[in-house]
Amino acid sequence: MMQQDTTKTSPTVTVLMSAYGVDAFLHQAVESVLCQDYEDFEFLIIDDASPQDIATELKCYGDLRMKIVRNEYNLGLTRSLNKGLQMACGRYIARMDADDISLPQRLKIQVNYMEKHPEIGLLGGQADCIDGDGNIVFQERHPTDELLLRWLLLFINPFWHSSIMLRASVLKLIGGYNNCVRYAQDYDLWHRLAPHTRFAQLCEPVILYRIQGKSITSSCGREQEAIALNIIRNALQILKCNDMVDDDIRGVREILINLPACHANEKSIKIMCSSIGMFAKFHKLTFDHELAIKNYAKKKMHVFLRNNQISLDKSKDSGI
């Protein structure tokens, strides 16, 4: 009788999570991964020196796909993720945060897309935003057009970090996350990936994104913004947009994210339009592609002006 080949092959996907502490959100996040419709994955959890030993807390699941590695001391999110990337065996890396929830078909949908589109190195998905009780508070839908995503990337992050699937070979090419970037490490990574691979974004939601006060975004907002501004300045210099000060950039960000008007003004609108022209010239866009980005920016501008009760007349000479 022929013996069955029991040689273990590498999983298609590594789901990568870094966690600090154990709570109900962590259990919900873990369960959402273990209950995926797609099964060919390893689930690598980096315990960033939590007060409680995460491996002990999660041993109740008894799932061999789950591997928990505990840091001897707290490394922070960026270094913990890079540690996980060095250990990852999958040819795709699916990011997951310890307080979010992956929808059941997330991995199946994303793997199918990546298999059909070998040119794509970064694949995002949409998110439904939930509160601490798991109630959907709003549904965020980011653009799916690659050129629009790349223009938006100049000012804001158009991808949910925990929705992302990455091609491991492309990550290896650039060395993973930048250990010098403590916050906004995902935004920095997208910018560093941009010259090396194609981007895509699914139109359907793949995660439930938890909005809570304990998140890095909430607790470290100022430092995160400072890092983001530095990333943006470097990206704009490549396009030769060198005349923008930080408040100009903040103004454009307010328009695109629809924040209260603290820095945005007529100049911000003109700068936003100017950046589209520079982006189109740099990437040699067709007229139709440039027009599509202008139309998106115009819609964002009108929503922002209306919500802030600013006269639409201020945009009459913006060029959008």
Side-chain angles (χ1 to χ4, degrees):
M1 180 181 294
M2 183 180 295
Q3 289 188 338
Q4 220 174 3
D5 183 4
T6 58
T7 303
K8 186 181 184 301
T9 58
S10 297
T12 300
V13 180
T14 296
V15 180
L16 178 58
M17 173 193 290
S18 175
Y20 181 80
V22 178
D23 56 19
F25 295 158
L26 175 64
H27 280 276
Q28 291 172 25
V30 167
E31 289 168 9
S32 76
V33 172
L34 297 180
C35 293
Q36 286 289 301
D37 292 345
Y38 185 87
E39 296 183 350
D40 185 19
F41 66 87
E42 63 174 354
F43 188 10
L44 185 54
I45 302 174
I46 307 299
D47 177 352
D48 197 13
S50 301
Q52 314 100 309
D53 182 69
I54 289 178
T56 301
E57 294 287 339
L58 298 183
K59 67 181 181 180
C60 57
Y61 294 105
D63 195 312
L64 296 178
R65 297 171 298 180
M66 188 163 55
K67 303 173 183 178
I68 304 173
V69 178
R70 183 174 173 84
N71 294 339
E72 293 184 13
Y73 54 91
N74 187 267
L75 296 179
L77 179 60
T78 306
R79 292 179 182 274
S80 292
L81 291 178
N82 274 337
K83 180 176 181 178
L85 289 178
Q86 291 176 357
M87 302 174 62
C89 297
R91 66 175 182 271
Y92 303 124
I93 308 296
R95 272 288 290 119
M96 182 65 190
D97 285 336
D99 54 356
D100 295 338
I101 294 173
S102 282
L103 296 176
Q105 291 191 313
R106 177 212 171 157
L107 294 183
K108 179 188 290 185
I109 292 170
Q110 291 189 305
V111 169
N112 286 342
Y113 189 96
M114 296 292 267
E115 295 283 277
K116 293 176 181 177
H117 300 86
E119 75 281 5
I120 299 299
L122 183 156
L123 175 63
Q126 308 299 337
D128 290 339
C129 298
I130 58 175
D131 60 19
D133 296 323
N135 302 309
I136 295 177
V137 291
F138 65 91
Q139 296 175 310
E140 185 72 23
R141 297 295 178 261
H142 290 162
T144 58
D145 178 78
E146 183 181 17
L147 290 172
L148 179 52
L149 287 169
R150 285 177 177 268
W151 174 72
L152 283 172
L153 195 63
L154 289 173
F155 297 103
I156 64 173
N157 188 347
F159 299 103
W160 301 100
H161 196 180
S162 58
S163 80
I164 291 295
M165 180 169 283
L166 298 154
R167 202 171 294 273
S169 59
V170 179
L171 271 177
K172 184 178 180 181
L173 183 68
I174 65 166
Y177 294 88
N178 184 347
N179 279 331
C180 297
V181 178
R182 187 178 179 188
Y183 304 114
Q185 57 280 109
D186 55 335
Y187 191 43
D188 173 78
L189 182 64
W190 313 156
H191 275 270
R192 289 167 48 236
L193 282 169
H196 302 286
T197 191
R198 296 277 306 276
F199 293 167
Q201 183 128 266
L202 299 169
C203 60
E204 62 259 62
V206 296
I207 61 163
L208 301 179
Y209 179 85
R210 183 95 55 184
I211 299 175
Q212 55 160 333
K214 293 182 181 179
S215 68
I216 290 177
T217 302
S218 300
S219 59
C220 306
R222 288 185 179 180
E223 187 171 353
Q224 190 169 25
E225 184 192 26
I227 293 171
L229 286 172
N230 186 57
I231 295 168
I232 292 166
R233 284 194 297 269
N234 291 336
L236 290 172
Q237 284 179 359
I238 295 174
L239 298 185
K240 303 188 184 305
C241 297
N242 301 316
D243 57 342
M244 296 188 197
V245 299
D246 284 355
D247 280 353
D248 293 335
I249 296 171
R250 289 187 180 101
V252 177
R253 283 167 61 82
E254 287 170 4
I255 294 170
L256 293 175
I257 307 175
N258 192 24
L259 296 174
C262 297
H263 303 91
N265 52 34
E266 185 176 357
K267 182 183 177 185
S268 306
I269 296 171
K270 291 180 178 179
I271 284 173
M272 184 170 66
C273 180
S274 174
S275 74
I276 297 173
M278 297 296 286
F279 178 84
K281 181 178 179 181
F282 183 85
H283 291 282
K284 299 179 181 178
L285 301 190
T286 65
F287 173 81
D288 287 343
H289 283 143
E290 182 177 0
L291 182 61
I293 296 174
K294 284 186 175 182
N295 286 338
Y296 178 89
K298 187 174 183 179
K299 289 178 183 178
K300 285 290 184 179
M301 178 191 71
H302 280 288
V303 171
F304 171 82
L305 294 174
R306 183 174 65 249
N307 288 349
N308 285 277
Q309 298 182 335
I310 299 173
S311 172
L312 293 177
D313 290 340
K314 289 191 175 185
S315 67
K316 63 183 179 181
D317 296 322
S318 66
I320 295 182

